Amino acid sequence: MNAAIPRPARQTTARPGGELPVTGTWRVRAADRRLAPVARVVRALLEPHLGDRLLPPGAHDEGAAGSAVLDLALDGAPPAPYDVPVGVSPRGLARPADEAYRLAVTGHGITCRAATPEGVFRAATTAAQLLTATAGPIPYQELTDAPHYAWRGLLVDPARGYLTPDELRRVIDLLALYKLNVLHLHLTDNEGWRLHLPAVPRLTAEGDHGAPRRFYTTEDYRGLQEYAAQRFVTVVPEIDLPGHCAALRAAFPGLPPAPAPEGLAGRFPFVPPLDLADPATRETVAAILAEVCRLTTGPFVHIGGDEAVGATADSFALAVRELRALVRASGKRPLAWQESSRAGITADDIAQFWVDVPMMDLPDTEEELARRPELLAAGHTLEFGRALKRFFAPADHDVARVVEGGGRLLLSPQSHLYLDRPCPAQVVPPHQAERAARLGFATYRPRGVRHTALWDPASHGIGDEWVAGVEATLFGESVGGFDDLTTLLLPRLASVAETAWTGRAAEWGEHRVRLARHGRLWRERGLAYLASTEIDWP
C-alpha cells in the first residue's frame, strides 16, 4: 500500500504490475533553475535515508542498473481536490499558497510537478516518504493532492523545556516532511525567557556565567527563520502576556500587579499579571514587542492572553487591546489564545481555540474522581475541580464571541491536539514504560495514538469560514531533552498532520498500517518515538 502521510487525495495505478526499485542510486534534478533552492533542501532531507546512494549535484549515473532520478518541475498541476485551502496563510498572503501537486512513479524515477515551488516541495516530501516508508519497490502510480487547511502548525515550548537551535532545526525538518507549515515558538513563560532582545538585554542577563546559555541570540533566531523559510515553514514567536510573566517580572522587579478581582488577591500562589494601564509597564512591554516584531521575518506575532489568573476582566481586556495595538504598530499581525476574544474581536483577529469546560474532562463526584488515578496522584480534589470549572466557565462562550465578531479560530483543542498528554500504560511497550510514565501533563487523562488520529475538526461545530487552520501543541513541563520531546510528538504528530492536510479524521484501520511504516523513517533520522502497541510495527 501507499505509506505516505498525509494520505494523498487521489491515487491511480499507472501500469499494473510495474514497480520502481529503490535500492540503487538516486539523483535529485531541478528541471527549472527557480527550483534549485528546493532541490538543495530536498537533498538535505533525503541524506539521512539514502546516504551514499544519493549522488552529489551534477553527477550522472543514469546508465547504471537501479539508478533513478527525483525530478522537480514547475508545471500546471491538475485541478486540486480543494479549490482554495481553508483558513489564513501563515506567510501573510492575501490568498493561501498553491500547494497542489502531482507525483508520478515510473521506471525512470519519481517526477514531482506543481505550479509553484511550494507545491513541488510538498510533492518531494511525499517522494521522500515513499523512498523510506515503502516496503520494497514502489508501484508505478500517480498521486494528486492539495491541502484542506492553509495553516498547519505545531507549538513547541522552549520556555519550559529548552531546545537548542540544532534541535529546533530537526523539528523544522520533521514538520516539512509531514507538510506542516508553522512552527509556533512559546518563547516566554514563568520558567524562562528564551529570546535575546538587544534593545531589552535584561531579559536574558544571566547571573551564573558558567552555566550554559539557554536562550536564542538574534543570530540564532534569524538563522532558524531562514532555515524554516527554505522548507516553507513560517516561524511564529509567542510572547505570553499579561499572565505567565514571572521571567519578565524577575528582569523588571517592581512592576505593579494588575488589579485583582475582589476576594482573590493573596488567596492563590499565582504570579500577578501585568497591568498595562501602568505607564512603566506599558513602556517596557512596548519596547519588548517592537523588538520582537523587528527581529521576526514572518507576518505574525503571538501575544499570549491565556490564563491571566488574578486580573479583573477590565484589566485583562485593556491588556489584550494594548498588546494587539503594539504589534500592529510594528507592522505585524497579532494572534492570541481564545481568552483574548473577551477584549473584543474584529475580522482581522485570530484566536487560538484550546479549551472549554467539557473538554477539561473533570470529575463531578467522588466516585468519578476515584476512577482518575492521574488526578488523585496530583492531589486533585472536587473543590479544586469546581474552582477550575468556575475559572474556565467563560471559555464555553469564546468560540461564539469570535464568530460573532467576524474573527478566525485556530483549532488547537486540548482534548486531541495537546501532545503533552500522557499515553495509557496499557499501550506503552515495556522497554519504554519508565520514560512514558514521566512524560506528559500529569492531570490529563491518558490517551493513545488512535484518539488523536480520530479527531474530526467538524466535531466542534465551527464552520470552515471561521477557521484559520489547525495547530498541535506540546508544552514543555515534562520535557527534559530532545528525546522526550520526540517521544511525545511521535507518532501522534503524523496523525495531526494528516487531519490538518486532509480536513478530516483518519480512517484508523489503514492509517495505523501506514503509521507502522514510518518507524523506519524516524529511526533513520535519529528520532525517538513511542512504539505504541496500538500499531503493528514491522
Side-chain angles (χ1 to χ4, degrees), residues 453-465:
L454 294 182
W455 174 64
D456 181 1
S459 65
H460 304 283
I462 302 168
D464 271 352
E465 66 270 27

Side-chain angles (χ1 to χ4, degrees), residues 106 124-125 248 337 534:
T106 67
T125 61
L248 188 152
W337 297 102
E534 300 164 278

Side-chain angles (χ1 to χ4, degrees), residues 53-86:
R53 294 191 294 118
L54 183 62
L55 298 177
H60 295 277
D61 198 17
E62 293 169 281
S67 180
V69 178
L70 179 60
D71 263 324
L72 311 178
L74 286 171
D75 191 11
Y82 313 107
D83 292 336
V84 178
V86 169

Side-chain angles (χ1 to χ4, degrees), residues 41-393:
V41 173
V42 171
R43 281 186 50 81
L45 289 174
L46 287 172
E47 281 173 358
H49 309 291
L50 298 183
D52 293 341
R53 294 191 294 118
L54 183 62
L55 298 177
H60 295 277
D61 198 17
E62 293 169 281
S67 180
V69 178
L70 179 60
D71 263 324
L72 311 178
L74 286 171
D75 191 11
Y82 313 107
D83 292 336
V84 178
V86 169
V88 175
S89 162
R91 291 163 56 193
L93 303 173
R95 180 184 175 95
D98 183 356
E99 299 176 81
Y101 70 84
R102 177 176 49 183
L103 181 151
V105 180
T106 67
H108 163 77
I110 302 175
T111 302
C112 302
R113 297 184 184 276
T116 66
E118 193 161 352
V120 172
F121 182 72
R122 301 301 178 213
T125 61
T126 299
Q129 290 187 21
L130 294 179
L131 288 170
T132 302
T134 302
I138 307 172
Y140 292 169
Q141 60 191 284
E142 185 170 288
L143 307 177
T144 306
D145 206 7
H148 182 80
Y149 290 115
W151 184 301
R152 308 177 301 276
L154 170 69
L155 176 152
V156 295
D157 177 17
R160 296 186 180 99
Y162 181 71
L163 300 165
T164 68
D166 281 345
E167 289 167 343
L168 285 177
R169 282 188 278 272
R170 295 177 72 186
V171 171
I172 291 167
D173 284 344
L174 184 63
L175 300 186
L177 282 165
Y178 288 99
K179 300 179 177 60
L180 296 166
N181 61 358
V182 174
L183 176 63
H184 175 166
L185 292 177
H186 187 77
L187 291 168
T188 74
D189 214 296
N190 293 327
E191 294 81 358
W193 191 284
R194 303 304 181 200
L195 180 61
H196 178 70
L197 304 176
V200 198
R202 291 166 61 178
L203 290 163
T204 47
E206 295 180 315
D208 181 3
H209 295 288
R213 173 171 59 81
R214 292 177 66 81
F215 60 83
Y216 309 117
T217 66
T218 55
E219 291 76 15
D220 291 334
Y221 186 53
R222 288 193 183 104
L224 285 169
Q225 292 178 93
E226 181 180 355
Y227 188 89
Q230 291 168 351
R231 288 149 179 79
F232 299 96
V233 173
T234 299
V235 174
V236 175
E238 181 182 353
I239 306 300
D240 197 358
L241 299 172
H244 293 271
C245 59
L248 188 152
R249 286 193 173 282
F252 291 90
L255 295 179
E262 184 177 353
L264 187 61
R267 287 189 59 199
F268 298 101
F270 57 82
V271 177
L274 298 177
D275 180 10
L276 269 292
D278 172 65
T281 301
R282 188 188 185 283
E283 181 181 357
T284 300
V285 171
I288 289 169
L289 289 179
E291 189 76 338
V292 172
C293 291
R294 182 182 71 82
L295 295 173
T296 299
T297 56
F300 292 95
V301 170
H302 201 298
I303 57 172
D306 64 315
E307 300 178 325
V309 183
T312 63
D314 287 345
S315 174
F316 174 71
L318 181 147
V320 170
R321 289 193 291 268
E322 287 288 342
L323 294 167
R324 286 175 179 160
L326 290 168
V327 168
R328 288 190 172 111
S330 290
K332 300 297 181 183
R333 187 173 174 184
L335 62 150
W337 297 102
Q338 69 183 69
E339 292 96 319
S340 63
S341 64
R342 301 165 207 174
I345 284 285
T346 70
D348 192 47
D349 289 316
I350 300 174
Q352 192 161 0
F353 169 54
W354 69 282
V355 72
D356 54 32
V357 171
M359 198 186 300
M360 297 177 72
D361 192 20
L362 294 171
D364 291 313
T365 66
E366 291 289 354
E367 291 75 16
E368 290 175 359
L369 178 59
R371 293 194 292 270
R372 298 289 297 279
E374 73 280 1
L375 296 181
L376 294 173
H380 191 99
T381 65
L382 281 183
E383 180 184 5
F384 181 63
R386 293 185 187 112
L388 281 176
K389 288 181 181 181
R390 287 193 297 270
F391 177 76
F392 281 100

Side-chain angles (χ1 to χ4, degrees), residues 421-462:
R421 181 178 292 275
C423 270
Q426 60 266 32
V427 305
V428 176
H431 72 279
Q432 292 186 299
E434 183 179 353
R435 168 169 283 171
R438 62 175 174 78
L439 290 181
F441 197 62
T443 60
Y444 288 160
R445 187 193 293 270
R447 298 287 192 185
V449 182
R450 182 177 186 272
H451 177 77
T452 300
L454 294 182
W455 174 64
D456 181 1
S459 65
H460 304 283
I462 302 168

